[in-house]
């Protein structure tokens, strides 16, 4: 999988998504009583988190730590809804352009300072200050004048966030954004202790200068080695926190991680401790479990490179992939053959169902060789080709991507009688190639920014920053524009369904599978929350006697 | 001699300057930059980030800036982990890598020299063949296979040593260093064994050894004064750069055994296009390397007084 | 009894015949060959090398399978059987064919890279050590510079400039591959050039070329051969590393290096054959090269001719 940095922001309600639940997920059931030593060893960090400053953090691993040592105005619940956290309550005005947050009285920093509204104002403006070079500044472009301030067209005072008093934060938005409240659980929007950060710019670099406000404190940070979190007794909800300590050793090699898990040195973890080749075995034996991850793996066709200038040929190639065989025999992590572009786990906000259940299946799970072959022949006739131009699949170096490419190469040989070549590149070289259009077929995994189909659909508009296929369709652009300009969920969802119909007819991309999140957890680990965005929360976790 | 050393030190600086300059040019000419990712950052963010790290300036200007800072010993801030400076990364990680490396080198050189000598003395006898097979295994079983195998048996199943991780930092319990040191020592051990055997055989056939024996010199003296001295030159030559490679950590071993050394930065910095770290580790490594080669050249003179470096051409 | 003088015939003294060598004259290589034949270790090594080379050529033809043909489904991860002699891999491909197909890549790369390293390294190191003084100083500092450069950067640049392919791999392997050899030869020559027999030869009027060819290089042969046998596996693993950068042979062709790389997790599962066979043949190759090298060393060693 890509070393993709995701940013997780939840939208509205989602039906709980944990499936194959069994033990581990939130249930209080299970063997012995509470263990005397409430220490959890977590195998989810592969290497040094780049930064624990909300301003600079951009990746999952930093995010995991930040979610525990810091806390935003809200926290994401297991249902995907924002729950009160630093903010005790909030009011949203009618057209969703103004939100007032009331920060709880007993909210404290680990250095004893009270958490104030000013800390939030300071932190957000700090992210938006262009001099600070925050990668995720755009997460705050929702604020009134946020983007203008960032571009130097407005002053800091004009930005729509204001501490009315110590405990009241007023937020003004650029346009109606009904889901803004759920965005406040994301780490870029977490507060920063103003007096600490102003005194020491590098306050977040070491454990001893770190000041947080989350359920745990950053007790130890041995660089390149491990992070240790301890229970924060001053946390407003400290009664709910049962773990005294969380150890987060950095484990760079999954084979090592799995042996550490077997030896009992690690109690819980994700692919950091699950070697790819063992996933199936562990799932089959019931040792590992999985949850849906709302993300998609797909191949993209460069529509400006022959032969993929032709719609029928693109469709033929997409149809000739046996997705079932790929998830069952190649990736083997319980993934779902992709039936369309928007993955599972993404809600349809109009019908209160999952998006995948309210749309047609555009692609059959198995290959359709006859139809595909016919389409290919038609396409070639349209273009007047006797021989198909040579085709190469590009992928970035990774054993998983290689296996998928090798399997698809064989499927196209078998089902279409087409010989394609494979070419791998180092990650950044690969990015350069795909972003500059120097490819025919490339792979990509896409994770959402927030739980709404839009985070996927707006990718393919003409000239979109991430539209590497060069696909361009006026009708599609219009539909996306329509969905973006309205706050009416029915209208939005309908426009996006229509856009997906079009996308899957034009087929500039071939969806392959929807992701799963596979994890290992010892029986004595309880109360871990697996959130709908595939992130994790240990706030209420505990261990029972072994 | 003093003059030779002086000249050599100047050349050493020139060499380092050349390496850093070429590296600077190389890293800016390969595709990709520190901020490229599959989700493209907005244009204005990219510009702000580039400005922050001076990457918006023309290359020659960046180069001059870097060299100025380098002259003051400042290697800059890592772009990937913005809260850490390159100096910090090196000073935290090097002692760890160096400790492992040192242990590995000690194992490799002592065991290698002894095994090589035994093989030479027992040439074409079973002992010799067994040692050859051992050495070949050392060369052909890569440490990314050997490491996990040792973890599985010595760590997980027989619980003799910890599977991985690094105790409490530098000066940590010795037990954590055992498996990675052994894994690290395998390849140089094999090479030293083979080299030592071969050059021992060369030396044993020499007339001066026979003369020394004929004169009635005790075998131990023949060995220490003549055989070892003459046979060890190729080992010293090869061991020099290998030592530096091992002291600066191994990407594979550090990953497998979760060791907080600097080895992984040699690969990761390039994958991330983390310019300041690339420059930092390269200069650090090269400085050690050229120093080591200098030391090796000086050692030649000590081991074999007939070798005169810096003498006029063609003697 | 007296024998009449006329019974005797005068033997003609032909100068040319007196000088003639009765034994058929042997070139250097004929001589090496004759003596190598008597060295069972060296011969054993040579025979194994030839066998491996033969299998690399013929092996892929010995079964009905191809190196790319997959059997997704029940055909995956099968142990060795009469059907699949070396078992199958995780995409159901026959490991026997893949192993020998991989041998082509790995053996070619190993041998070619080693030879190039040998030629460049010996010439460069020989000249540097022999000339000594300032020339040596400068030549060795160039080696230092090449050594100090981050290899990955060099390779990525090579890849961008030359594009992927077998020739690029070999260039990438030899850019720095010869440095060890050069330093080793230089160190040996520094030591040897002051030895009595070299001085004697020089006094007798031997020129540089002859000194190098007849005295210095042959007496360094031992360490050179050792380093050479070390270069072969180094190149084979470096190729696997280069395929990480997209420089190696392209999938679905696999070299021994990439096969070993990919099969790593079988240490935790039961599919030992995926790791075992490539490692076995790699080890066998090295063993054979080492044995051959040792034999050759004995044969070439001037001191052993006594």
């Amino acid at each position: 999988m890509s070393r993709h940095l995701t940013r997780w922001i939840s939208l509205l309600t989602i039906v709980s998504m944990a499936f194959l639940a069994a033990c581990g997920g939130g249930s209080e059931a299970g063997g012995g009583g509470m263990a005397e030593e409430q220490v959890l060893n977590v195998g989810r960090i592969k290497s040094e988190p780049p930064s624990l400053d909300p301003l600079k953090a951009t990746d999952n691993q930093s995010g995991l730590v930040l979610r525990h040592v810091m806390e935003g105005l809200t926290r994401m619940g297991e249902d995907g809804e924002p729950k009160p956290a630093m903010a005790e309550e909030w009011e949203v005005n009618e057209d969703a352009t103004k939100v007032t947050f009331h920060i709880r009285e007993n909210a404290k920093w680990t250095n004893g300072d009270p958490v104030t509204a000013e800390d939030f104002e300071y932190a957000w403006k700090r992210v938006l200050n262009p001099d600070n070079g925050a990668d995720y500044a755009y997460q705050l472009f929702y604020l009134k004048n946020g983007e203008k301030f960032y571009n130097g067209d407005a002053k800091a005072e004009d930005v729509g966030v204001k501490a009315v008093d110590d405990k009241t934060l007023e937020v003004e938005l650029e346009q109606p954004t009904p889901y803004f409240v759920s965005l406040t659980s994301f780490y870029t929007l977490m507060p920063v202790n103003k007096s600490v950060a102003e005194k020491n710019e590098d306050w977040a670099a070491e454990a001893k200068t770190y000041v947080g406000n989350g359920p745990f404190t950053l007790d130890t940070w041995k660089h390149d080695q491990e992070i240790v979190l301890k229970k924060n007794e001053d946390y407003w909800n400290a009664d709910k926190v049962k773990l005294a300590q969380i150890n987060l050793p950095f484990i760079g090699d999954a084979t090592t991680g799995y042996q550490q898990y077997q030896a009992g040195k690690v109690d819980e973890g994700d692919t950091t401790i699950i070697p790819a080749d063992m996933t199936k075995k562990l799932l089959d034996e019931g040792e590992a479990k999985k949850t849906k991850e709302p993300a998609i793996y797909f191949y993209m066709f460069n529509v400006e490179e022959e032969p993929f200038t032709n719609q029928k040929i693109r469709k033929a190639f997409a149809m000739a992939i046996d997705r079932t065989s790929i998830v069952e025999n190649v990736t083997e992590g319980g993934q779902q053959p992709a039936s369309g572009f928007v993955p599972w786990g993404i809600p349809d906000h109009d019908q209160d169902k999952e998006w995948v259940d309210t749309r047609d299946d555009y692609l059959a799970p198995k290959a359709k060789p006859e139809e595909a072959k016919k389409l290919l022949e038609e396409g070639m006739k349209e273009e007047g080709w006797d021989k198909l131009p040579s085709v190469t699949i590009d992928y970035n170096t990774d054993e998983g991507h290689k296996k998928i490419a090798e399997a698809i190469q064989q499927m196209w040989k078998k089902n279409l009688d087409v010989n394609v070549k494979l070419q791998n590149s180092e990650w950044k070289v690969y990015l350069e190639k795909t972003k500059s259009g120097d490819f025919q077929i490339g792979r990509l995994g896409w994770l959402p920014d927030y739980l709404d189909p839009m985070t996927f659909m707006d990718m393919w508009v003409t000239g979109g920053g991430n539209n590497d296929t060069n696909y361009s369709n006026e009708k599609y652009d219009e539909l996306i524009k329509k969905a973006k300009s309205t706050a009416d969920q029915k209208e939005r969802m309908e426009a996006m369904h229509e856009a997906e119909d079009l996308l899957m007819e034009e087929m500039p991309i071939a969806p392959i599978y929807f992701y799963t999140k596979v994890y290992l957890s010892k029986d004595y680990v309880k109360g871990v929350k697996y959130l709908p965005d595939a992130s994790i929360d240990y706030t209420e976790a505990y261990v029972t006697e072994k | 001699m003093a003059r030779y050393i002086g000249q050599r030190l100047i050349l050493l600086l020139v060499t380092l300057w050349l390496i850093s300059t070429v590296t600077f040019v190389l890293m800016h000419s390969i595709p990709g930059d520190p901020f490229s990712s599959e989700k493209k950052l907005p244009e204005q963010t990219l510009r702000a980030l580039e400005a922050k790290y001076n990457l918006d300036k023309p290359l020659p200007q960046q180069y001059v800036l870097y060299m100025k800072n380098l002259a003051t010993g400042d290697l800059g801030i890592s772009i990937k982990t913005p809260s850490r400076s390159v100096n910090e990364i090196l000073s935290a990680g090097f002692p760890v890598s160096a400790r492992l490396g040192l242990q590995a080198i000690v194992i490799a050189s002592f065991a290698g020299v002894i095994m090589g000598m035994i093989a030479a003395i027992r040439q074409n006898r079973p002992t010799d063949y067994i040692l050859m097979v051992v050495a070949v295994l050392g060369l052909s079983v890569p440490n990314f296979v050997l490491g996990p195998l040792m973890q599985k048996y010595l760590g997980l199943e027989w619980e003799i040593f910890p599977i991985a991780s690094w105790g409490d930092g530098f000066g940590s319990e010795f037990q954590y260093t055992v498996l990675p040191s052994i894994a690290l020592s395998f390849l140089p051990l094999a090479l030293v064994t083979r080299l030592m055997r071969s050059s021992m055989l060369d030396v044993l056939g020499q007339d001066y050894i026979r003369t020394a024996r004929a004169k009635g010199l005790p075998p131990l003296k023949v060995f220490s004064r003549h055989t070892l001295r003459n046979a060890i030159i190729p080992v010293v030559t090869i061991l020099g750069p290998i030592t530096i490679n091992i002291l600066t950590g191994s990407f594979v071993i550090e990953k497998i055994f979760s060791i907080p050394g600097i080895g992984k930065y040699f690969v990761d910095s390039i994958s991330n296009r983390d310019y300041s770290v690339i420059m930092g580790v390269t200069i650090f490594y090269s400085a050690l390397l050229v120093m080591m080669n200098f030391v090796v050249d000086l050692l030649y003179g000590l081991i074999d007084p007939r070798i005169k470096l810096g003498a006029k051409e063609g003697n | 009894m007296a024998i009449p003088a006329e019974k005797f015939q005068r033997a003609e003294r032909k100068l040319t015949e007196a000088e003639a060598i009765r034994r058929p004259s042997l070139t250097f290589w004929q001589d090496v060959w004759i003596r190598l034949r008597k060295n069972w270790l060296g011969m054993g090594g040579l025979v194994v090398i030839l066998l491996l080379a033969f299998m690399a050529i013929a092996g892929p033809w010995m079964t009905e399978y191809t190196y790319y043909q997959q059997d997704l489904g029940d055909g995956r991860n099968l142990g060795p059987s009469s059907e699949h002699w070396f078992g199958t891999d995780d995409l159901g491909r026959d490991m026997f064919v893949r192993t020998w197909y991989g041998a082509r890549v790995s053996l070619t790369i190993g041998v070619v890279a080693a030879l190039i390293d040998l030629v460049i390294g010996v010439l460069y190191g020989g000249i540097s050590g022999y000339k000594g003084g300032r020339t040596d100083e400068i030549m060795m500092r160039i080696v230092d510079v090449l050594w100090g450069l981050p290899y990955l950067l060099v390779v990525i640049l090579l890849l961008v400039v030359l594009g992927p392919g077998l020739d690029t791999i070999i260039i990438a392997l030899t850019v720095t591959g010869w440095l060890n050899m050069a330093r080793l030869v230089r160190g040996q020559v520094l030591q040897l050039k002051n030895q009595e027999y070299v001085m004697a030869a020089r006094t007798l009027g031997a020129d540089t070329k002859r000194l190098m060819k007849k005295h210095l290089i042959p007496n360094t042969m031992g360490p050179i051969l050792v380093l050479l046998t070390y270069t072969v596996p180094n190149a084979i693993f470096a190729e696997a590393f280069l395929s990480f950068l997209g420089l190696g042979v392209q999938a679905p062709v696999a070299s021994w290096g990439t096969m070993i790389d990919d099969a790593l997790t079988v240490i935790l599962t039961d599919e030992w054959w995926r790791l075992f066979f490539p490692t076995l043949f790699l080890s066998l190759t090295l063993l054979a090269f080492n044995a051959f090298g040792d034999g050759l060393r004995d044969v070439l060693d001037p001191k052993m001719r006594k």
Side-chain angles (χ1 to χ4, degrees), chain A residues 7 224 256 426 428 447, chain B residues 33 38-39 256 265 273:
Chain A
R7 319 164 270 264
D224 284 324
T256 306
E426 187 253 0
K428 295 234 168 183
L447 291 77
Chain B
D33 62 63
E38 72 222 90
K39 284 202 178 167
I256 292 175
Y265 285 101
R273 309 290 191 269

Side-chain angles (χ1 to χ4, degrees), chain A residues 277 329 332 397 402 406 424, chain C residues 70 76 243-244 246 262 265:
Chain A
D277 290 0
N329 302 318
E332 299 189 303
T397 311
K402 181 167 94 175
E406 284 175 327
N424 68 310
Chain C
Q70 301 171 0
R76 295 177 307 130
S243 27
F244 165 81
D262 288 354
T265 34

Side-chain angles (χ1 to χ4, degrees), chain C:
Chain C
M1 203 173 54
I3 300 159
E6 55 270 32
K7 288 275 184 192
F8 289 93
Q9 221 174 4
R10 191 185 172 87
E12 287 294 329
R13 244 184 103 198
K14 282 194 198 135
L15 250 161
T16 45
E17 262 181 43
E19 285 281 288
I21 297 164
R22 288 294 170 212
R23 221 173 67 160
S25 96
L26 292 173
T27 63
F28 173 71
W29 291 111
Q30 281 171 324
D31 188 38
V32 166
W33 176 235
I34 286 170
R35 288 191 292 141
L36 184 64
R37 268 199 322 222
K38 291 183 199 143
N39 184 311
W40 70 267
L41 187 68
M43 276 315 278
L46 187 62
V47 168
V48 175
I49 291 170
L50 291 175
L51 269 178
L52 284 163
F54 171 76
M55 284 306 288
I57 296 164
W61 306 103
M62 289 181 179
T63 67
E64 51 183 307
Y65 305 103
T66 58
Y67 68 89
Y68 51 81
Q69 184 188 335
Q70 301 171 0
D71 183 358
L72 293 180
D74 298 336
R76 295 177 307 130
N77 291 326
L78 298 177
S81 64
S82 59
E83 213 33 43
H84 297 281
W85 298 333
F86 291 176
T88 63
D89 71 1
D90 51 355
L91 288 175
R93 296 173 295 200
D94 183 73
M95 281 291 292
F96 182 81
V97 175
R98 284 180 71 73
T99 302
W100 295 118
Y101 218 88
R104 293 183 185 181
V105 181
S106 290
L107 290 178
T108 312
I109 286 170
V111 171
V112 173
L115 286 180
I116 296 176
D117 288 356
L118 174 76
V119 173
I120 302 178
V122 168
L123 276 179
Y124 194 97
I127 293 170
S128 180
Y130 185 78
K131 287 269 186 186
R134 185 154 296 168
T135 316
D136 173 50
E137 225 18 90
I138 290 170
M139 285 179 89
M140 280 302 118
R141 295 301 73 76
I142 294 173
V143 168
D144 281 354
V145 170
L146 282 173
W147 224 322
L149 291 179
Y151 185 55
L152 258 162
L153 275 185
V154 177
V155 174
I156 295 176
L157 193 72
L158 266 179
L159 175 69
V160 173
V161 175
L162 300 175
L166 202 66
D167 37 348
T168 316
I169 301 176
I170 288 171
I171 293 172
L173 287 176
T174 42
V175 170
T176 53
W178 58 276
L179 300 177
N180 258 320
M181 185 64 84
R183 267 199 73 89
L184 180 86
V185 172
R186 177 241 181 196
Q188 289 297 95
V189 170
L190 276 179
Q191 186 190 21
L192 292 173
K193 75 175 178 185
N194 293 316
Q195 300 235 338
E196 291 78 2
Y197 64 86
V198 180
M199 286 186 199
R202 195 182 287 134
T203 318
L204 287 172
D207 58 2
T208 309
K209 215 172 133 192
R210 190 181 161 80
L211 270 177
M212 287 288 250
K213 223 170 106 185
K214 288 281 167 188
H215 298 283
L216 297 177
I217 301 298
N219 277 297
T220 314
M221 223 51 203
I224 289 179
L225 283 171
V226 169
L227 197 61
L228 210 56
T229 48
Y230 159 84
T231 312
V232 176
N234 239 11
I236 288 174
F237 286 120
E239 184 272 328
F241 174 67
L242 295 179
S243 27
F244 165 81
L245 296 173
L247 192 51
V249 289
Q250 284 302 326
V253 181
S255 61
W256 284 347
T258 44
M259 286 167 90
I260 294 173
D261 233 352
D262 288 354
L264 196 56
T265 34
V266 306
I267 290 169
L268 296 178
T269 56
D270 322 315
E271 295 128 21
W272 55 270
W273 55 92
R274 288 183 50 204
L275 184 61
F276 177 74
F277 288 108
T279 312
L280 172 73
F281 289 109
L282 176 60
S283 303
L284 209 59
T285 307
L286 296 187
L287 201 59
F289 272 110
N290 268 284
F292 180 63
D294 278 3
L296 206 59
R297 189 203 154 277
D298 291 352
V299 168
L300 292 177
D301 189 350
K303 294 175 293 276
M304 301 281 275
R305 294 192 195 189
K306 283 165 196 160

